[in-house]
Structures are given as structure tokens and as C-alpha cells.
Amino acid sequence: MERNLMKGNEALAEAAIRAGCKCFFGYPITPQTEISAYMAKRMPKVGGVFLQAESEIAAINMVYGCASSGIRCMTSSSSPGISLKSEGVSYIAGSDLPCVIINVMRGGPGLGGIQPSQSDYWQATRALGHGDFQVLVYAPSSVQEMADYVTKAFDMADKFRMPALILADGLLGQMMEPVTFADGEIKMSDASGKPWATCGHGNKRPHNIINSLYLQAEELEQHNIERFKRYELVKAECPEAESYLTDDADIVVAAYGSTARLARSAVDTARSRGIKAGLVRPITLWPFPDKQIKAACANAKRVLVTEMSMGQMVDDIKLAIECRLPVSFFGRTGGVIPKPSEILAQIVTLDEELKGE
Amino acid sequence: MNNENRENREIILAGFGGQGILFAGKMLAYFGLLGGREVSWLPSYGPEMRGGTANCSVCISDKPIGSPLVTEPNILIVMNNPSYDKFINAVAPDGLAIVDSSLVGARSDRKDINCVYVPATQMADENGLRGMANIILVGMLIKETGIASAEIIRKALEKIIPAAKKHLVESNMKAIELGMNS
């Protein structure tokens, strides 16, 4: 297979098209605009739709409509734009529709900055909108994974009839790396296999209704209970994590996305200095890979969480290891990228602590 | 130079927006890609690109690349004073710094690195290659490190120069040769 050198944003867009994403609704914002630009160029050539909406809110509501018809569709934005989309995401989740949403995170809150950040973790995993719902959250860590996980996001969104989010950041979006795509013709999706879709039926079946409004409390409660039963299946099937040198590690670093790359470099340097360090990298942020995290920390004495935020994943790590180990945190925020040497310094400090015990 | 040298490279290229810093970095990334190696290319992006400084990190390795962000380069290519001031002391010991001496007046007193000064911008102007000082510096990098074979250089140029601008392949080759022979 040919290795292409592509930006993360472009590789993700190409992979989405190859996954059968027929409609893309976007609105420009740094650092994800290359997704829109790529879709604008490619979609008309492959029989798909690229539409630049008048706002992020319009774009997510176009996704709502398109997803109702059973067609694979997507929108992308960066942090402030994702906040604008949150109402629409809640409606889509309330209507039990599949779609894919991309967040190439930048520093926040507010308009924030345009440099890479991971400060939307809580938003992605806890409250991408109001109401009783979750979205599947994938956190790729390379350009190849930007492509691979958008494909998976479409598949899982369809399987469980729920929105799936790719939580990337400006570093992953802007960097270029080699990426390969599976061979095969591009086939645009339709409503096949989706008996719930509102796609026209020529009076051959009762009509479908897509809706998130239930004025009878018991009826709404029942829909929510059904949805959460489905989430149990998601929790059983979807959690993913990668462990690196954790078997004999005294110190396990926990990091996701691009920060996991920086942490991996720090772990390698620590190992070269004789410090038993390892790395565990959650790939799904919801459902959180509790079992994998717990297994990776089984022989550890200290856990260091590192993120490009003020420490939003720390609680999930503590829960995953049932608070059995001391957990410390190191992060940079606001768009500042932590240096591997800074993460290494934290590992060295923990190692000295352990030696002193 | 027919056999490329397969050492690990952590490269920073830095200068003004418009000097082709990102393009030169992309060329280096393609050298690695076409050599069958792991590569990453990370640009600076943001307000500094509009007339201010631009830089990019390029990693080339035989192993999966951890951090794509280079903080201690073993190769630095630098094309303006602010970038020189910012990065010259970050170069790793035994590293290589290639400086466009038409634009950077300073000379480093570091004894632990190899500093090469090339009047690339002046050379470009004198040889009818205005705007290709970046490529002349890449030529010098190839000379100093053996980072790419002649075959890979040509393939990389054909890959990154769009078909509509095919005539630029030859002028880029000329710029690389100029750098390699200086």
C-alpha cells in the first residue's frame, strides 16, 4: 500500500469519504479548516455533498437532518465551534441517530487561542449537550489513527445508533505523517440496513418518525432507559487502550492523543536512564477503558497523568485504578505543548521519591 | 552521494513566513518517506505566519516517532535573526546548524556544534534562483549529512511540485546542486 504524506486533518477527511460519508457540513475554524477544504475539493468528485453552512449551529442541524435519512454524515469544528454545536448534538442523541463529529481542540475557555489543547475532555466525555446521553469518544494519537478511527467511528455510530466524536487537537490536525488507506472503490452510504431511517418508502411500510420530544414523562424515561441499556453494550465492546512498557513499570504515565506521543518520548529517555517507566494510553475516552488502565497499573507504584489541560482526565484514572495508587498530574494548557523533557523531569522526581521510601 | 545516511534526525527549520521554510521541511520529510523511513512534519501555525517567523519540526527515524515536536534539534536550518537567537542554543551537542549568512549577521561561539554559514539568499539572487535560498540550504544539508540519495532527491521534488509547475523541478535541482557544491 502506498504511504501518503498527509496532514492529520486531510487524512481524516479522506478516510471519512472512504468510509462512505456522503455529506459533510462544515464551518471554518483554526486548526481544523483543512478538513473543510479537503471535503470541498473531494466531495463533488466522488458524488458526495460538501456544504459550508452559515454557522456551526446550522451545520450540526444539517447533520441532524441528514442522519435522519440514514446517510453517513459528518461535521467538524474546533473547541468554541463545538460548544455552539452542543444543542444539536443533544437532539441527535435524543433521536438515537448515528453521526460523526470532529473536534480538533484548541486552547480555551471562550474564544481562547488557536494552539493545540486537550481542555475539552470533560465536555466530550460528560456533557456534549444537555440531557441523559453519552457520545462515543475516540482519541487518535497519529495521522494514521486519525484515518483509522474515523472509519471505526462511523461503524460504531451506526451499530449503536449514537453520535461518535473524534477528539483530536491542533497538533494532530496540522502535522504530516505517512498514512495508508485500504484499497477499494469509494461507495457512498445510503439507508440500507437502517429500517428506522426517514428516507421515503412509497407507502410500502408504516412511516418512521425521528423525534426527541416526549411530553409524557414516563415515555421519555423509557427512551432514556433503553438508550442506557445500549450504552452497556457499548461499554462491553468498545473500550480501547494501548500499553507501552507497563509490565514491569514502577511509574506509569497516563496520557491520550498527541500528549501520549510526547510522554512516550519521555518514557523512552527514562528507560535509557534505568528508570522503570511505562505508558498507558486510553484510545476511547468514553467508554473509558477502566480494565485496561487497571491492568497496565497492576505492578506500578506511582501514576502520572499528563495532559494539555489543567487535569481533566485525572479523576477517570483514579476511578479506573480504584484510588489504590498515588496519582500526580503534570499539564500545560492554553495552547502550550509540554516538552518531553518536562514530562521526564516529573518521572525523575517520582523515581527519586520511590527510592527514598 | 548515492547512499543515504540513516541516522535519526530531529530537525528544526526556521525563518520568516514566505521564505519557504515549511516547503523545505516538507522536502526533508519526503526524503525520509521515500527512503522507507518513519517521518513527521509539524509546522508552527498561527498569527506568526503573517509576515512574522515561521518554523517547523521534522523527524526522520527507523523507529516509530514519539514526540513530533523537536525541542533539541540535531539539525537546525535558520534563515533570519530572531530564529537564530531563538534556536542556536537549543541545538544538541554534536549537532549541525546551517545558517543563511546573507540574512543572519551573528556567528556562534559554540564549540560543541558544527556551524555552517552559507550566503544562500545572495547565491540564489546571483544564479537566477530568487526565492530558492531555502533549497540551497537543503543542498548544503545533503552535502553535510548524506540525508538523501540523488535518486530520492529527484523523486521527492517530482512528488511535492505540482504537475502544473513541473518546470520548477529543474530549478529546484539546480538550487540543491548549488548548495551541495558550495
Side-chain angles (χ1 to χ4, degrees):
Chain A
M1 270 185 283
E2 194 194 346
R3 296 203 306 162
N4 305 281
L5 194 62
M6 291 175 93
K7 280 192 169 194
N9 284 335
E10 294 168 342
L12 180 146
E14 176 63 27
I17 292 169
R18 286 169 186 249
C21 174
K22 188 176 180 182
C23 300
F24 176 86
F25 308 101
Y27 188 81
I29 180 170
T30 304
Q32 66 78 51
T33 300
E34 291 84 3
I35 299 178
S36 273
Y38 194 89
M39 290 295 193
K41 214 164 51 184
R42 278 280 279 159
M43 277 297 201
K45 290 182 187 152
V46 294
V49 172
F50 163 81
L51 201 155
Q52 180 168 322
E54 70 270 33
S55 72
E56 288 88 347
I57 299 169
I60 191 70
N61 283 294
M62 290 171 186
V63 167
Y64 185 16
C66 187
S68 303
S69 73
I71 286 169
R72 284 189 167 184
C73 57
M74 181 171 117
T75 186
S76 70
S77 193
S78 177
S79 309
I82 294 292
S83 293
L84 285 167
K85 290 181 192 293
S86 65
E87 180 195 51
V89 177
S90 174
Y91 279 54
I92 294 168
S95 304
D96 297 312
L97 292 172
C99 69
V100 172
I101 302 154
I102 315 298
N103 183 359
V104 183
M105 290 182 280
R106 56 189 251 182
L111 214 40
I114 61 171
Q115 298 301 320
S117 164
Q118 296 179 313
S119 52
D120 304 344
Y121 179 93
W122 279 331
Q123 181 195 47
T125 59
R126 300 296 192 277
L128 203 52
H130 62 280
D132 272 328
F133 80 94
Q134 295 279 352
V135 301
L136 251 167
V137 184
Y138 288 105
S141 167
S142 65
V143 172
Q144 183 67 53
E145 283 194 355
M146 291 283 268
D148 294 346
Y149 282 100
V150 79
T151 311
K152 195 160 200 176
F154 273 109
D155 290 344
M156 292 300 136
D158 273 355
K159 182 169 182 179
F160 296 109
R161 283 184 66 180
M162 64 189 292
L165 177 80
I166 301 287
L167 195 65
D169 62 66
L171 196 149
L172 284 169
Q174 294 297 323
M175 72 186 283
M176 287 201 296
E177 280 186 317
V179 56
T180 57
F181 301 99
D183 292 331
E185 265 177 52
I186 291 169
K187 190 174 165 285
M188 288 291 151
S189 62
D190 55 28
S192 56
K194 294 176 179 172
W196 46 262
T198 50
C199 52
H201 54 86
N203 289 321
K204 291 191 182 94
R205 58 163 169 78
H207 64 272
N208 291 334
I209 295 174
I210 301 288
N211 180 35
S212 73
L213 176 69
Y214 301 97
L215 292 175
Q216 295 294 333
E218 289 78 7
E219 196 188 352
L220 177 55
E221 181 187 47
Q222 203 48 47
H223 276 281
N224 288 342
I225 289 171
E226 289 298 321
R227 184 173 311 115
F228 274 69
K229 277 184 191 161
R230 220 162 56 236
Y231 290 163
E232 288 306 311
L233 304 177
V234 179
K235 284 182 190 172
E237 181 174 331
C238 295
E240 276 184 59
E242 182 190 44
S243 296
Y244 177 66
L245 304 177
T246 52
D247 286 353
D248 66 338
D250 293 328
I251 299 158
V252 170
V253 183
Y256 72 94
S258 56
T259 307
R261 305 273 299 253
L262 311 170
R264 190 183 164 117
S265 289
V267 164
D268 282 339
T269 313
R271 283 275 170 177
S272 73
R273 294 186 190 175
I275 300 172
K276 285 185 179 174
L279 172 72
V280 64
R281 171 171 80 90
I283 297 172
T284 50
L285 302 181
W286 194 92
F288 201 68
D290 295 311
K291 280 182 199 156
Q292 290 90 331
I293 303 286
K294 198 177 165 187
C297 298
N299 299 317
K301 300 186 177 89
R302 290 283 189 283
V303 178
L304 169 67
V305 180
T306 175
E307 299 172 63
M308 287 192 282
S309 77
M310 292 301 287
Q312 301 191 7
M313 188 173 68
V314 177
D315 290 344
D316 281 343
I317 294 291
K318 285 182 181 170
L319 287 170
I321 61 168
E322 293 158 350
C323 296
R324 286 180 308 106
L325 294 169
V327 176
S328 55
F329 172 73
F330 171 74
R332 298 299 301 265
T333 183
V336 180
I337 302 169
K339 289 180 185 167
S341 60
E342 292 176 318
I343 302 172
L344 177 67
Q346 300 287 322
I347 296 173
V348 169
T349 304
L350 288 174
D351 184 59
E352 282 163 3
E353 258 179 52
L354 285 174
K355 280 180 186 150
E357 277 178 4
Chain B
M1 191 87 51
N2 277 318
N3 295 311
E4 80 259 23
N5 182 326
R6 297 180 73 88
E7 280 170 44
N8 281 353
R9 310 290 184 184
E10 295 192 7
I11 308 165
I12 290 180
L13 303 98
F16 286 119
Q19 283 178 319
I21 290 294
L22 302 187
F23 181 83
K26 204 168 160 181
M27 192 178 285
L28 299 180
Y30 266 98
F31 290 164
L33 181 88
L34 297 170
R37 311 185 68 193
E38 298 299 329
V39 297
S40 67
W41 173 94
L42 178 70
S44 60
Y45 66 91
E48 75 272 26
M49 286 178 74
R50 301 199 180 104
T53 57
N55 67 75
C56 75
S57 294
V58 177
C59 298
I60 306 175
S61 173
D62 284 327
K63 287 194 215 148
I65 289 159
S67 170
L69 177 72
V70 176
T71 51
E72 288 172 38
N74 52 32
I75 297 172
L76 172 70
I77 290 185
V78 67
M79 293 185 72
N80 69 5
N81 282 315
S83 301
Y84 175 87
D85 293 341
K86 186 172 175 186
F87 292 115
I88 193 70
N89 289 323
V91 177
D94 301 323
L96 168 67
I98 300 177
V99 181
D100 185 339
S101 56
S102 315
L103 303 173
V104 178
R107 297 291 177 266
S108 175
D109 49 17
R110 283 188 67 177
K111 298 275 180 284
D112 61 333
I113 62 173
N114 177 20
C115 285
V116 181
Y117 301 92
V118 190
T121 297
Q122 191 191 333
M123 285 163 70
D125 290 349
E126 286 169 1
N127 288 278
L129 297 168
R130 182 173 279 264
M132 289 196 193
N134 57 337
I135 309 302
I136 292 175
L137 295 172
V138 167
M140 175 52 90
L141 173 63
I142 296 167
K143 176 185 168 186
E144 289 288 328
T145 63
I147 199 168
S149 67
E151 188 196 346
I152 281 180
I153 294 166
R154 181 163 283 280
K155 265 197 205 164
L157 288 176
E158 285 168 0
K159 198 98 187 165
I160 50 178
I161 293 170
K165 293 182 179 172
K166 217 176 161 192
H167 60 282
L168 291 176
V169 172
E170 290 317 314
S171 48
N172 274 273
M173 274 310 282
K174 196 175 153 195
I176 285 178
E177 278 159 18
L178 209 56
M180 288 178 76
N181 296 327
S182 64

